[in-house]
Amino acid sequence: MSTAEHAETNRRDFLYIATGSVAAVGAALAAWPFINQMNPDASVLALASVEIDLAPIAEGQEITIKWRGNPVFIRHRLAAEIEAAGKVAMTDLKDPLARNANLPDADPATDANRVVGGKEQYLVMMGVCTHLGCVPIGNEGEFAVVEGNTKHGGWFCPCHGSMYDTAGRIRKGPAPENLHIPQYAYLSDSKIRIG
Amino acid sequence: MSGHASNYQPKSAFAKWFHERLPIMDMVQGQVLDFPTPKNLNYFYTFGGILAVMLVIQIITGVVLVMHYTPHVDMAFNSVEHIMRDVNSGWMLRYMHANGASMFFIAVYIHMFRGMYYGSYKAPREVLWMIGVLIYLVMMATAFMGYVLPWGQMSFWGAKVITSLFSAIPFVGDSLTTLLWGGYSVDNPTLNRFFSLHYLLPFVIAALVGLHIWALHVVGNNNPTGVSVKSAQDTIPFSPYYTVKDAFAIVIFLMFYAAWVFFSPNYLGHAINYQEANPLVTPAHIVPEWYYLPFYAILRAIPDKLGGVIAMFGSILILFALPWLDTSKVRSGNYRPIFKQFFWLFVINCIILGFAGSGAPDNYFLSHEAAPPDQWALTYKLVGQICTAYYFAHFLVILPLIGLLETPKPLPASISDAVLAKSHPSTAHVPAE
């Protein structure tokens, strides 16, 4: 009862602490299934890949497909867009990393690291702004290639004003990272599988 | 509850038998009917009662709406339209619930500003105030999840943006967001869990309201003079005096509420939410409901993702520290000439913050016109940044300093003195101006 009478720790204190610790560990273990049930379930994980034929996408055209509930942009870039992206100095980039799931994490965000070698015209990336997840609008923003009154490439997020260049790299606004590039591979010359 | 011995005397044999087994009537008499309440409470003190009524209305309309709603991405939007068109009185129940949320927030903001003006957060009411801030936080979470349920465009994109806030947290952010979503984007699992929690949280609020009232009844009401109750002469029984006063205010408030429901039910919403959610297209302009706009402006004011998220949550969490940031011993703003002015500046600043959160960041403030880039212009974003700085300065600089520098007006000796000075200026001690 009173700690004044038994100031030293004794066997009873040890039993209290041991019992309490076991109960706490047990409660934490019991809580885990109740938390983990919120993670993606098997049916969500099963929707993991999608195949697309790139041939019908004309030069300068962009299509959006849905993969894992999110939009994926596939853009057939103009030569001018590729050239503009290649000319950007690495020091001008807000996020120096390629953010390409097909490459090591540390690779720099050069234009070459944002696409597949020999297929520089096809830019495949998540249409999810790295700020708060809105879908950026294509052919918009200050980093598009401008020809007369037309903008080519570049993305602008309508939610909080982030701007991406013609390689989908963040250049201005609150977004912290370049648009992510999902895992994908060429199955044939013009067909890719995402996921 | 606290040690007020009530005068309850069971009258019948049954009442006596029951009282010996559950003394609830004793508590009703002591804590509700006879509860000694300062005699000078004004109409700003009726908002607690109004909020209790709004909570009950939200729970009742909500429970009824659930009888007709389907929480599935393929059916949610149509089931809401079904409620609007097919269900008997469904349109009214849904408009009551949707506008009820707005009325709830109007009342809570008045209730909070009242507490700030009269210093109701100061000792010994710190815990009472902090439970209130907690209720406000849970209210915001509840309202946010409720807004997602109709599965319109604004529902979906609001959910996406707000849940993505958690991805700003270093290291665990992305896994945490995936856990919240139950997938890689806001989708059916997200809708289902939001529905479950939206049903649960109002009952959590009800429990917290119980604690809030308990804490209130331990320390007693503050009052417009801020002077503590000194004798029984300073108080009147809660019933009939404040039951009647509260009831009158509740009726007026319900009329205001009904005016929205029947004459302008969609004014506070967004037309685009009558378009079904499309995960591939973000609307050109997404904004949260009006009651979140000041915090949305704070989020956008900081040009860094994590920084913006910290500032936004910080702007609410700072309220927990308010009892210790205000260094003045005088509670009521009525006796604090400098505080009073800064209090109103703070209110105005919060309202401007609301406007700053409502427009596209790079447009001219209060206009639909885009400002030229790379050139100084008074944009929504800039106004938001100035007001965000002022918001934090109010709590972190202005309040602590006023407490030290200001000379308060002399306080009345008691609540009775202050009341008498108002009605019979000659008979009571008048504080020197």
mmCIF file of all heavy atoms in Angstrom, chain B residues 94-133:
data_model
loop_
_atom_site.group_PDB
_atom_site.id
_atom_site.type_symbol
_atom_site.label_atom_id
_atom_site.label_comp_id
_atom_site.label_asym_id
_atom_site.label_seq_id
_atom_site.Cartn_x
_atom_site.Cartn_y
_atom_site.Cartn_z
ATOM 1 N N ARG B 94 -32.055 16.090 -45.937
ATOM 2 C CA ARG B 94 -30.671 16.272 -46.379
ATOM 3 C C ARG B 94 -30.264 17.744 -46.276
ATOM 4 O O ARG B 94 -29.161 18.049 -45.825
ATOM 5 C CB ARG B 94 -30.497 15.793 -47.817
ATOM 6 C CG ARG B 94 -29.112 16.090 -48.316
ATOM 7 C CD ARG B 94 -28.733 15.380 -49.589
ATOM 8 N NE ARG B 94 -27.448 15.890 -50.030
ATOM 9 C CZ ARG B 94 -27.316 16.832 -50.949
ATOM 10 N NH1 ARG B 94 -28.362 17.340 -51.568
ATOM 11 N NH2 ARG B 94 -26.112 17.264 -51.278
ATOM 12 N N TYR B 95 -31.153 18.648 -46.667
ATOM 13 C CA TYR B 95 -30.810 20.074 -46.557
ATOM 14 C C TYR B 95 -30.638 20.480 -45.092
ATOM 15 O O TYR B 95 -29.806 21.320 -44.760
ATOM 16 C CB TYR B 95 -31.879 20.936 -47.223
ATOM 17 C CG TYR B 95 -31.754 21.004 -48.736
ATOM 18 C CD1 TYR B 95 -32.869 21.226 -49.541
ATOM 19 C CD2 TYR B 95 -30.511 20.879 -49.356
ATOM 20 C CE1 TYR B 95 -32.760 21.314 -50.910
ATOM 21 C CE2 TYR B 95 -30.394 20.955 -50.731
ATOM 22 C CZ TYR B 95 -31.512 21.180 -51.511
ATOM 23 O OH TYR B 95 -31.399 21.272 -52.863
ATOM 24 N N MET B 96 -31.437 19.861 -44.205
ATOM 25 C CA MET B 96 -31.261 20.168 -42.774
ATOM 26 C C MET B 96 -29.894 19.708 -42.300
ATOM 27 O O MET B 96 -29.220 20.406 -41.539
ATOM 28 C CB MET B 96 -32.335 19.450 -41.938
ATOM 29 C CG MET B 96 -33.678 20.129 -41.918
ATOM 30 S SD MET B 96 -34.891 19.134 -41.020
ATOM 31 C CE MET B 96 -34.396 19.468 -39.331
ATOM 32 N N HIS B 97 -29.470 18.529 -42.765
ATOM 33 C CA HIS B 97 -28.197 17.970 -42.323
ATOM 34 C C HIS B 97 -27.025 18.774 -42.893
ATOM 35 O O HIS B 97 -26.086 19.116 -42.177
ATOM 36 C CB HIS B 97 -28.096 16.506 -42.752
ATOM 37 C CG HIS B 97 -27.045 15.722 -42.027
ATOM 38 N ND1 HIS B 97 -27.159 15.393 -40.697
ATOM 39 C CD2 HIS B 97 -25.860 15.195 -42.444
ATOM 40 C CE1 HIS B 97 -26.077 14.700 -40.325
ATOM 41 N NE2 HIS B 97 -25.278 14.575 -41.364
ATOM 42 N N ALA B 98 -27.097 19.092 -44.183
ATOM 43 C CA ALA B 98 -25.995 19.819 -44.834
ATOM 44 C C ALA B 98 -25.888 21.238 -44.278
ATOM 45 O O ALA B 98 -24.802 21.706 -43.933
ATOM 46 C CB ALA B 98 -26.207 19.841 -46.348
ATOM 47 N N ASN B 99 -27.023 21.945 -44.190
ATOM 48 C CA ASN B 99 -26.974 23.304 -43.646
ATOM 49 C C ASN B 99 -26.778 23.284 -42.136
ATOM 50 O O ASN B 99 -26.219 24.234 -41.578
ATOM 51 C CB ASN B 99 -28.241 24.076 -44.017
ATOM 52 C CG ASN B 99 -28.238 24.486 -45.474
ATOM 53 O OD1 ASN B 99 -27.605 25.457 -45.842
ATOM 54 N ND2 ASN B 99 -28.909 23.718 -46.314
ATOM 55 N N GLY B 100 -27.231 22.206 -41.504
ATOM 56 C CA GLY B 100 -27.026 22.079 -40.068
ATOM 57 C C GLY B 100 -25.544 22.109 -39.713
ATOM 58 O O GLY B 100 -25.145 22.689 -38.706
ATOM 59 N N ALA B 101 -24.719 21.510 -40.582
ATOM 60 C CA ALA B 101 -23.269 21.538 -40.336
ATOM 61 C C ALA B 101 -22.769 22.981 -40.332
ATOM 62 O O ALA B 101 -22.017 23.395 -39.450
ATOM 63 C CB ALA B 101 -22.544 20.723 -41.400
ATOM 64 N N SER B 102 -23.235 23.758 -41.312
ATOM 65 C CA SER B 102 -22.815 25.167 -41.362
ATOM 66 C C SER B 102 -23.292 25.939 -40.144
ATOM 67 O O SER B 102 -22.554 26.743 -39.578
ATOM 68 C CB SER B 102 -23.355 25.832 -42.630
ATOM 69 O OG SER B 102 -22.583 25.446 -43.744
ATOM 70 N N MET B 103 -24.546 25.686 -39.733
ATOM 71 C CA MET B 103 -25.091 26.392 -38.561
ATOM 72 C C MET B 103 -24.297 26.014 -37.307
ATOM 73 O O MET B 103 -24.027 26.845 -36.452
ATOM 74 C CB MET B 103 -26.565 26.034 -38.360
ATOM 75 C CG MET B 103 -27.460 26.456 -39.499
ATOM 76 S SD MET B 103 -27.357 28.209 -39.889
ATOM 77 C CE MET B 103 -26.720 28.124 -41.545
ATOM 78 N N PHE B 104 -23.941 24.741 -37.231
ATOM 79 C CA PHE B 104 -23.133 24.232 -36.124
ATOM 80 C C PHE B 104 -21.829 25.031 -36.036
ATOM 81 O O PHE B 104 -21.409 25.483 -34.963
ATOM 82 C CB PHE B 104 -22.826 22.748 -36.397
ATOM 83 C CG PHE B 104 -22.624 21.886 -35.185
ATOM 84 C CD1 PHE B 104 -22.974 20.541 -35.216
ATOM 85 C CD2 PHE B 104 -22.074 22.396 -34.024
ATOM 86 C CE1 PHE B 104 -22.783 19.721 -34.113
ATOM 87 C CE2 PHE B 104 -21.872 21.580 -32.912
ATOM 88 C CZ PHE B 104 -22.226 20.249 -32.961
ATOM 89 N N PHE B 105 -21.212 25.244 -37.192
ATOM 90 C CA PHE B 105 -19.933 25.971 -37.184
ATOM 91 C C PHE B 105 -20.137 27.462 -36.895
ATOM 92 O O PHE B 105 -19.329 28.073 -36.192
ATOM 93 C CB PHE B 105 -19.181 25.758 -38.497
ATOM 94 C CG PHE B 105 -18.367 24.495 -38.484
ATOM 95 C CD1 PHE B 105 -18.861 23.317 -39.024
ATOM 96 C CD2 PHE B 105 -17.115 24.473 -37.889
ATOM 97 C CE1 PHE B 105 -18.121 22.145 -38.977
ATOM 98 C CE2 PHE B 105 -16.368 23.307 -37.844
ATOM 99 C CZ PHE B 105 -16.873 22.142 -38.388
ATOM 100 N N ILE B 106 -21.208 28.066 -37.422
ATOM 101 C CA ILE B 106 -21.473 29.471 -37.083
ATOM 102 C C ILE B 106 -21.581 29.600 -35.569
ATOM 103 O O ILE B 106 -20.955 30.458 -34.940
ATOM 104 C CB ILE B 106 -22.785 29.955 -37.755
ATOM 105 C CG1 ILE B 106 -22.586 30.098 -39.256
ATOM 106 C CG2 ILE B 106 -23.240 31.284 -37.142
ATOM 107 C CD1 ILE B 106 -23.841 30.503 -40.013
ATOM 108 N N ALA B 107 -22.361 28.699 -34.959
ATOM 109 C CA ALA B 107 -22.569 28.767 -33.512
ATOM 110 C C ALA B 107 -21.266 28.514 -32.758
ATOM 111 O O ALA B 107 -20.974 29.196 -31.772
ATOM 112 C CB ALA B 107 -23.642 27.756 -33.095
ATOM 113 N N VAL B 108 -20.456 27.563 -33.245
ATOM 114 C CA VAL B 108 -19.229 27.246 -32.498
ATOM 115 C C VAL B 108 -18.234 28.398 -32.606
ATOM 116 O O VAL B 108 -17.509 28.691 -31.655
ATOM 117 C CB VAL B 108 -18.619 25.896 -32.943
ATOM 118 C CG1 VAL B 108 -17.655 26.028 -34.094
ATOM 119 C CG2 VAL B 108 -17.911 25.232 -31.765
ATOM 120 N N TYR B 109 -18.210 29.075 -33.756
ATOM 121 C CA TYR B 109 -17.284 30.211 -33.884
ATOM 122 C C TYR B 109 -17.711 31.348 -32.959
ATOM 123 O O TYR B 109 -16.862 31.987 -32.327
ATOM 124 C CB TYR B 109 -17.179 30.666 -35.344
ATOM 125 C CG TYR B 109 -16.330 29.726 -36.193
ATOM 126 C CD1 TYR B 109 -16.737 29.308 -37.452
ATOM 127 C CD2 TYR B 109 -15.120 29.247 -35.700
ATOM 128 C CE1 TYR B 109 -15.966 28.435 -38.208
ATOM 129 C CE2 TYR B 109 -14.347 28.376 -36.437
ATOM 130 C CZ TYR B 109 -14.772 27.970 -37.688
ATOM 131 O OH TYR B 109 -14.010 27.104 -38.428
ATOM 132 N N ILE B 110 -19.008 31.622 -32.870
ATOM 133 C CA ILE B 110 -19.468 32.676 -31.946
ATOM 134 C C ILE B 110 -19.141 32.274 -30.506
ATOM 135 O O ILE B 110 -18.642 33.076 -29.716
ATOM 136 C CB ILE B 110 -20.977 32.925 -32.130
ATOM 137 C CG1 ILE B 110 -21.257 33.476 -33.531
ATOM 138 C CG2 ILE B 110 -21.497 33.901 -31.070
ATOM 139 C CD1 ILE B 110 -22.724 33.620 -33.869
ATOM 140 N N HIS B 111 -19.383 31.007 -30.199
ATOM 141 C CA HIS B 111 -19.110 30.466 -28.860
ATOM 142 C C HIS B 111 -17.616 30.613 -28.510
ATOM 143 O O HIS B 111 -17.255 31.021 -27.406
ATOM 144 C CB HIS B 111 -19.502 28.987 -28.887
ATOM 145 C CG HIS B 111 -19.542 28.283 -27.564
ATOM 146 N ND1 HIS B 111 -20.442 28.599 -26.567
ATOM 147 C CD2 HIS B 111 -18.803 27.237 -27.082
ATOM 148 C CE1 HIS B 111 -20.250 27.781 -25.532
ATOM 149 N NE2 HIS B 111 -19.260 26.951 -25.819
ATOM 150 N N MET B 112 -16.746 30.323 -29.473
ATOM 151 C CA MET B 112 -15.302 30.407 -29.224
ATOM 152 C C MET B 112 -14.840 31.852 -29.094
ATOM 153 O O MET B 112 -14.056 32.186 -28.196
ATOM 154 C CB MET B 112 -14.529 29.716 -30.357
ATOM 155 C CG MET B 112 -14.682 28.210 -30.344
ATOM 156 S SD MET B 112 -14.132 27.448 -31.893
ATOM 157 C CE MET B 112 -12.364 27.527 -31.691
ATOM 158 N N PHE B 113 -15.331 32.722 -29.994
ATOM 159 C CA PHE B 113 -14.934 34.131 -29.901
ATOM 160 C C PHE B 113 -15.455 34.741 -28.602
ATOM 161 O O PHE B 113 -14.803 35.581 -27.988
ATOM 162 C CB PHE B 113 -15.452 34.920 -31.111
ATOM 163 C CG PHE B 113 -14.595 34.753 -32.339
ATOM 164 C CD1 PHE B 113 -15.157 34.381 -33.557
ATOM 165 C CD2 PHE B 113 -13.225 34.974 -32.285
ATOM 166 C CE1 PHE B 113 -14.370 34.224 -34.695
ATOM 167 C CE2 PHE B 113 -12.422 34.821 -33.417
ATOM 168 C CZ PHE B 113 -12.998 34.446 -34.614
ATOM 169 N N ARG B 114 -16.642 34.327 -28.170
ATOM 170 C CA ARG B 114 -17.166 34.800 -26.890
ATOM 171 C C ARG B 114 -16.226 34.406 -25.757
ATOM 172 O O ARG B 114 -15.876 35.229 -24.902
ATOM 173 C CB ARG B 114 -18.574 34.221 -26.667
ATOM 174 C CG ARG B 114 -19.302 34.750 -25.467
ATOM 175 C CD ARG B 114 -19.027 33.937 -24.210
ATOM 176 N NE ARG B 114 -19.706 32.650 -24.273
ATOM 177 C CZ ARG B 114 -19.319 31.582 -23.606
ATOM 178 N NH1 ARG B 114 -18.241 31.600 -22.837
ATOM 179 N NH2 ARG B 114 -19.974 30.461 -23.722
ATOM 180 N N GLY B 115 -15.771 33.141 -25.785
ATOM 181 C CA GLY B 115 -14.839 32.686 -24.768
ATOM 182 C C GLY B 115 -13.544 33.484 -24.786
ATOM 183 O O GLY B 115 -12.956 33.794 -23.746
ATOM 184 N N MET B 116 -13.100 33.844 -26.002
ATOM 185 C CA MET B 116 -11.859 34.614 -26.118
ATOM 186 C C MET B 116 -12.052 36.035 -25.601
ATOM 187 O O MET B 116 -11.179 36.585 -24.931
ATOM 188 C CB MET B 116 -11.413 34.656 -27.584
ATOM 189 C CG MET B 116 -10.875 33.349 -28.092
ATOM 190 S SD MET B 116 -10.550 33.516 -29.852
ATOM 191 C CE MET B 116 -9.269 32.315 -30.031
ATOM 192 N N TYR B 117 -13.199 36.641 -25.912
ATOM 193 C CA TYR B 117 -13.410 38.041 -25.500
ATOM 194 C C TYR B 117 -13.522 38.148 -23.986
ATOM 195 O O TYR B 117 -12.948 39.048 -23.370
ATOM 196 C CB TYR B 117 -14.671 38.597 -26.163
ATOM 197 C CG TYR B 117 -14.919 40.050 -25.782
ATOM 198 C CD1 TYR B 117 -14.229 41.076 -26.435
ATOM 199 C CD2 TYR B 117 -15.806 40.381 -24.768
ATOM 200 C CE1 TYR B 117 -14.424 42.397 -26.080
ATOM 201 C CE2 TYR B 117 -16.008 41.702 -24.411
ATOM 202 C CZ TYR B 117 -15.315 42.707 -25.065
ATOM 203 O OH TYR B 117 -15.507 44.019 -24.715
ATOM 204 N N TYR B 118 -14.283 37.248 -23.367
ATOM 205 C CA TYR B 118 -14.502 37.346 -21.926
ATOM 206 C C TYR B 118 -13.446 36.579 -21.113
ATOM 207 O O TYR B 118 -13.585 36.428 -19.906
ATOM 208 C CB TYR B 118 -15.911 36.857 -21.566
ATOM 209 C CG TYR B 118 -16.996 37.774 -22.088
ATOM 210 C CD1 TYR B 118 -17.968 37.314 -22.976
ATOM 211 C CD2 TYR B 118 -17.046 39.118 -21.697
ATOM 212 C CE1 TYR B 118 -18.956 38.160 -23.456
ATOM 213 C CE2 TYR B 118 -18.029 39.967 -22.185
ATOM 214 C CZ TYR B 118 -18.981 39.483 -23.064
ATOM 215 O OH TYR B 118 -19.950 40.321 -23.538
ATOM 216 N N GLY B 119 -12.398 36.095 -21.793
ATOM 217 C CA GLY B 119 -11.320 35.406 -21.068
ATOM 218 C C GLY B 119 -11.786 34.148 -20.364
ATOM 219 O O GLY B 119 -11.284 33.791 -19.298
ATOM 220 N N SER B 120 -12.728 33.441 -20.981
ATOM 221 C CA SER B 120 -13.293 32.257 -20.322
ATOM 222 C C SER B 120 -12.310 31.089 -20.263
ATOM 223 O O SER B 120 -12.603 30.072 -19.650
ATOM 224 C CB SER B 120 -14.564 31.805 -21.055
ATOM 225 O OG SER B 120 -15.499 32.841 -21.077
ATOM 226 N N TYR B 121 -11.154 31.235 -20.924
ATOM 227 C CA TYR B 121 -10.168 30.157 -20.915
ATOM 228 C C TYR B 121 -9.213 30.274 -19.738
ATOM 229 O O TYR B 121 -8.395 29.393 -19.522
ATOM 230 C CB TYR B 121 -9.350 30.179 -22.223
ATOM 231 C CG TYR B 121 -8.876 31.548 -22.616
ATOM 232 C CD1 TYR B 121 -7.727 32.093 -22.042
ATOM 233 C CD2 TYR B 121 -9.586 32.318 -23.535
ATOM 234 C CE1 TYR B 121 -7.307 33.361 -22.369
ATOM 235 C CE2 TYR B 121 -9.169 33.582 -23.873
ATOM 236 C CZ TYR B 121 -8.023 34.109 -23.295
ATOM 237 O OH TYR B 121 -7.613 35.368 -23.617
ATOM 238 N N LYS B 122 -9.308 31.390 -19.000
ATOM 239 C CA LYS B 122 -8.310 31.617 -17.939
ATOM 240 C C LYS B 122 -8.636 30.822 -16.688
ATOM 241 O O LYS B 122 -9.758 30.379 -16.487
ATOM 242 C CB LYS B 122 -8.259 33.102 -17.615
ATOM 243 C CG LYS B 122 -7.710 33.900 -18.783
ATOM 244 C CD LYS B 122 -7.512 35.343 -18.437
ATOM 245 C CE LYS B 122 -7.277 36.099 -19.724
ATOM 246 N NZ LYS B 122 -6.996 37.492 -19.488
ATOM 247 N N ALA B 123 -7.637 30.702 -15.814
ATOM 248 C CA ALA B 123 -7.799 29.938 -14.579
ATOM 249 C C ALA B 123 -9.087 30.365 -13.884
ATOM 250 O O ALA B 123 -9.387 31.556 -13.830
ATOM 251 C CB ALA B 123 -6.595 30.181 -13.660
ATOM 252 N N PRO B 124 -9.877 29.446 -13.387
ATOM 253 C CA PRO B 124 -9.647 27.997 -13.337
ATOM 254 C C PRO B 124 -10.331 27.237 -14.466
ATOM 255 O O PRO B 124 -10.715 26.089 -14.267
ATOM 256 C CB PRO B 124 -10.287 27.664 -11.990
ATOM 257 C CG PRO B 124 -11.489 28.576 -11.931
ATOM 258 C CD PRO B 124 -11.102 29.830 -12.676
ATOM 259 N N ARG B 125 -10.507 27.835 -15.644
ATOM 260 C CA ARG B 125 -11.294 27.178 -16.698
ATOM 261 C C ARG B 125 -10.434 26.647 -17.846
ATOM 262 O O ARG B 125 -10.939 26.427 -18.946
ATOM 263 C CB ARG B 125 -12.345 28.141 -17.246
ATOM 264 C CG ARG B 125 -13.355 28.558 -16.191
ATOM 265 C CD ARG B 125 -14.507 29.381 -16.693
ATOM 266 N NE ARG B 125 -15.375 29.724 -15.562
ATOM 267 C CZ ARG B 125 -15.129 30.712 -14.716
ATOM 268 N NH1 ARG B 125 -14.083 31.493 -14.884
ATOM 269 N NH2 ARG B 125 -15.944 30.926 -13.692
ATOM 270 N N GLU B 126 -9.132 26.413 -17.605
ATOM 271 C CA GLU B 126 -8.253 25.960 -18.697
ATOM 272 C C GLU B 126 -8.704 24.617 -19.265
ATOM 273 O O GLU B 126 -8.725 24.426 -20.486
ATOM 274 C CB GLU B 126 -6.799 25.813 -18.212
ATOM 275 C CG GLU B 126 -6.182 27.075 -17.634
ATOM 276 C CD GLU B 126 -6.302 27.121 -16.127
ATOM 277 O OE1 GLU B 126 -7.350 26.672 -15.601
ATOM 278 O OE2 GLU B 126 -5.362 27.598 -15.469
ATOM 279 N N VAL B 127 -9.049 23.682 -18.388
ATOM 280 C CA VAL B 127 -9.418 22.344 -18.860
ATOM 281 C C VAL B 127 -10.747 22.400 -19.617
ATOM 282 O O VAL B 127 -10.918 21.766 -20.664
ATOM 283 C CB VAL B 127 -9.482 21.345 -17.681
ATOM 284 C CG1 VAL B 127 -10.066 20.021 -18.118
ATOM 285 C CG2 VAL B 127 -8.082 21.143 -17.103
ATOM 286 N N LEU B 128 -11.661 23.216 -19.121
ATOM 287 C CA LEU B 128 -12.939 23.435 -19.805
ATOM 288 C C LEU B 128 -12.692 23.925 -21.234
ATOM 289 O O LEU B 128 -13.270 23.410 -22.200
ATOM 290 C CB LEU B 128 -13.748 24.470 -19.003
ATOM 291 C CG LEU B 128 -15.033 25.008 -19.606
ATOM 292 C CD1 LEU B 128 -16.014 23.899 -19.855
ATOM 293 C CD2 LEU B 128 -15.645 26.052 -18.678
ATOM 294 N N TRP B 129 -11.803 24.902 -21.367
ATOM 295 C CA TRP B 129 -11.460 25.457 -22.679
ATOM 296 C C TRP B 129 -10.808 24.399 -23.568
ATOM 297 O O TRP B 129 -11.144 24.249 -24.733
ATOM 298 C CB TRP B 129 -10.526 26.658 -22.500
ATOM 299 C CG TRP B 129 -9.883 27.138 -23.755
ATOM 300 C CD1 TRP B 129 -8.635 26.835 -24.208
ATOM 301 C CD2 TRP B 129 -10.470 28.000 -24.760
ATOM 302 N NE1 TRP B 129 -8.387 27.449 -25.408
ATOM 303 C CE2 TRP B 129 -9.500 28.174 -25.773
ATOM 304 C CE3 TRP B 129 -11.698 28.635 -24.894
ATOM 305 C CZ2 TRP B 129 -9.726 28.951 -26.892
ATOM 306 C CZ3 TRP B 129 -11.926 29.419 -26.027
ATOM 307 C CH2 TRP B 129 -10.949 29.561 -27.004
ATOM 308 N N MET B 130 -9.868 23.626 -22.995
ATOM 309 C CA MET B 130 -9.141 22.658 -23.814
ATOM 310 C C MET B 130 -10.055 21.524 -24.288
ATOM 311 O O MET B 130 -9.899 21.045 -25.413
ATOM 312 C CB MET B 130 -7.944 22.104 -23.029
ATOM 313 C CG MET B 130 -6.862 23.163 -22.860
ATOM 314 S SD MET B 130 -5.675 22.747 -21.589
ATOM 315 C CE MET B 130 -4.665 21.583 -22.440
ATOM 316 N N ILE B 131 -10.997 21.124 -23.472
ATOM 317 C CA ILE B 131 -11.969 20.120 -23.936
ATOM 318 C C ILE B 131 -12.761 20.721 -25.098
ATOM 319 O O ILE B 131 -13.054 20.048 -26.088
ATOM 320 C CB ILE B 131 -12.912 19.681 -22.793
ATOM 321 C CG1 ILE B 131 -12.115 18.971 -21.697
ATOM 322 C CG2 ILE B 131 -14.008 18.752 -23.319
ATOM 323 C CD1 ILE B 131 -12.911 18.717 -20.431
ATOM 324 N N GLY B 132 -13.061 22.010 -24.985
ATOM 325 C CA GLY B 132 -13.770 22.692 -26.074
ATOM 326 C C GLY B 132 -12.976 22.658 -27.370
ATOM 327 O O GLY B 132 -13.524 22.384 -28.445
ATOM 328 N N VAL B 133 -11.670 22.924 -27.291
ATOM 329 C CA VAL B 133 -10.837 22.889 -28.500
ATOM 330 C C VAL B 133 -10.837 21.479 -29.090
ATOM 331 O O VAL B 133 -10.910 21.293 -30.312
ATOM 332 C CB VAL B 133 -9.395 23.362 -28.193
ATOM 333 C CG1 VAL B 133 -8.516 23.247 -29.430
ATOM 334 C CG2 VAL B 133 -9.392 24.788 -27.678
#
